[in-house]
Amino acid sequence: MRIAVYGCGSVGGYFGGRLAQAGQDVTFIARNKSLLALQQQGLKVDSIAGDFSLKKIKASNSPAEVGEVDYLFCCVKAWQVGAAAKAMLPMIGEKTLVIPLQNGVEAAALLSEHISPDKVLGGLCAIIAFQPAPGHIKHIGANPLIRFGHRDKRADARINRLAEIFNRCTGVKCSIPDDINVALWQKFMLISPWSGLGAVSRAPIGILLKQAETRELLGQAIEEIYQLGLAHNVELPEKSVDRVFELLQSFPPNSKTSMQRDLDAGAPSELDQQSGAVLRLGQAVGLATPVNQFFFHALRSLELRARGALKF
């Protein structure tokens, strides 16, 4: 069983690291400082589910040298998926399954523009983690969860096998949802409003939930995405909005999303794949999403500055 993890940030480093810790044959595809750190020092993970270090791991910057694998995790930022799809092609064989773990609901479709759609699963993960230095991951919140499945809901023994592998890992819970599209949209309902409002207000989730004004905005943004999912024929349960609030309340009060941390640091973010995606998907079905539109428009100048397209 050969597994490759394309991208060794907080998501790829954590979940790929747990697989390697469990004895699986894992190769990390990285570059620059991350590659050098992995090759020279290995991978270090500080986690509320148990710290661990891997002194000797497989790491490369050449997908062609790695060759075909059984499972390929795409763990780059959402705005990097298109370029990653092309670069990953040498690792994709007849029986390879590709699992994207980006925020948002568009990654699988984007990968499928370059990779045979029957090889691309829908996938998501839940973890609050960041990378303080190359080769070093800090997991500070949420019980790490990973979910995946075929977007047409068909059964596949290879998916069951991968879930079994993950559930033998320390610090990971894995499940195969009945409909991965529903699961993706439920996460989208959680992460995009939280990211947008958190970045606008610069406040952590505890404050967003405690303050009446921000809680109201958060609820409106979540409801917009719920209605948007229904308009796109996603079979979201009636209590989805309530469930999102329950999940948000379960996170440590000082938690921030990766998009919020990136914008705070002046770095490129997933704004276009989160708030921007809400606008695009709404326009496609003629549905207004004014609160999410406000987040996107308010943060756009920061995103452009981070990408060097605007100076101020």
Side-chain angles (χ1 to χ4, degrees):
M1 186 69 62
R2 301 189 69 222
I3 300 170
V5 177
Y6 194 98
C8 194
S10 56
V11 168
Y14 184 84
F15 289 100
R18 288 298 190 186
L19 288 168
Q21 182 192 26
Q24 297 298 320
D25 182 358
V26 179
T27 301
F28 294 90
I29 306 299
R31 59 181 183 175
N32 302 329
K33 293 182 180 179
S34 289
L35 178 64
L36 190 62
L38 292 173
Q39 291 177 333
Q40 294 185 349
Q41 305 164 21
L43 177 67
K44 179 182 178 182
V45 177
D46 299 330
S47 170
I48 59 174
D51 300 344
F52 67 97
S53 295
L54 302 170
K55 297 300 183 183
K56 293 183 179 180
I57 60 174
K58 294 182 179 180
S60 174
N61 63 355
S62 173
E65 288 182 3
V66 175
E68 295 181 5
V69 297
D70 298 290
Y71 302 105
L72 174 54
F73 289 91
C74 181
C75 299
V76 297
K77 293 287 189 179
W79 50 274
Q80 298 171 316
V81 168
K86 299 175 185 177
M88 293 188 301
L89 290 176
M91 295 187 290
I92 300 172
E94 182 179 347
K95 296 183 179 181
T96 304
L97 289 179
V98 181
I99 306 99
L101 295 179
Q102 284 71 32
N103 291 317
V105 293
E106 300 174 308
L110 185 56
L111 285 173
S112 296
E113 293 178 7
H114 306 280
I115 301 166
S116 177
D118 67 317
K119 300 181 185 299
V120 180
L121 304 183
L124 63 89
C125 66
I127 187 172
I128 299 175
F130 63 97
Q131 190 176 32
H136 183 194
I137 311 300
K138 288 186 72 72
H139 163 219
I140 59 173
N143 295 320
L145 168 72
I146 188 166
R147 309 185 80 186
F148 39 75
H150 281 295
R151 290 169 289 164
D152 61 5
K153 298 187 281 188
R154 73 181 186 274
D156 189 330
R158 294 172 297 172
I159 294 176
N160 296 334
R161 185 177 183 185
L162 182 58
E164 291 172 359
I165 290 171
F166 267 116
N167 283 323
R168 291 197 295 268
C169 294
T170 301
V172 179
K173 183 179 179 180
C174 180
S175 64
I176 304 169
D178 293 333
D179 187 340
I180 188 62
N181 302 299
V182 170
L184 283 164
W185 274 83
Q186 288 174 325
K187 182 183 177 183
F188 193 36
M189 289 171 59
L190 180 148
I191 196 66
S192 186
W194 177 11
S195 293
L197 182 56
V200 167
S201 66
R202 298 188 177 184
I205 189 60
I207 298 300
L208 300 183
L209 292 171
K210 182 178 180 180
Q211 294 295 114
E213 298 86 352
T214 50
R215 187 181 179 93
E216 181 179 358
L217 279 174
L218 192 61
Q220 291 171 350
I222 294 168
E223 178 68 27
E224 286 179 2
I225 300 178
Y226 173 67
Q227 295 299 331
L228 182 58
L230 296 178
H232 279 269
N233 301 313
V234 180
E235 297 177 356
L236 291 164
E238 289 184 6
K239 298 294 185 179
S240 290
V241 174
D242 292 339
R243 177 58 178 154
V244 168
F245 268 107
E246 290 174 5
L247 288 171
L248 288 171
Q249 290 165 349
S250 72
F251 293 121
N254 63 341
S255 299
K256 295 182 177 183
T257 68
S258 58
M259 186 183 107
Q260 182 178 356
R261 292 195 300 269
D262 286 340
L263 287 173
D264 284 348
S269 79
E270 295 180 341
L271 176 66
D272 192 55
Q273 290 73 34
Q274 293 192 42
S275 301
V278 177
L279 268 65
R280 288 193 298 276
L281 293 165
Q283 291 166 355
V285 293
L287 183 66
T289 54
V291 178
N292 286 281
Q293 176 178 291
F294 164 70
F295 297 156
F296 182 70
H297 288 175
L299 296 167
R300 184 63 173 160
S301 58
L302 296 179
E303 184 69 30
L304 290 173
R305 181 174 67 177
R307 295 179 181 276
L310 191 63
K311 293 184 179 180
F312 61 93

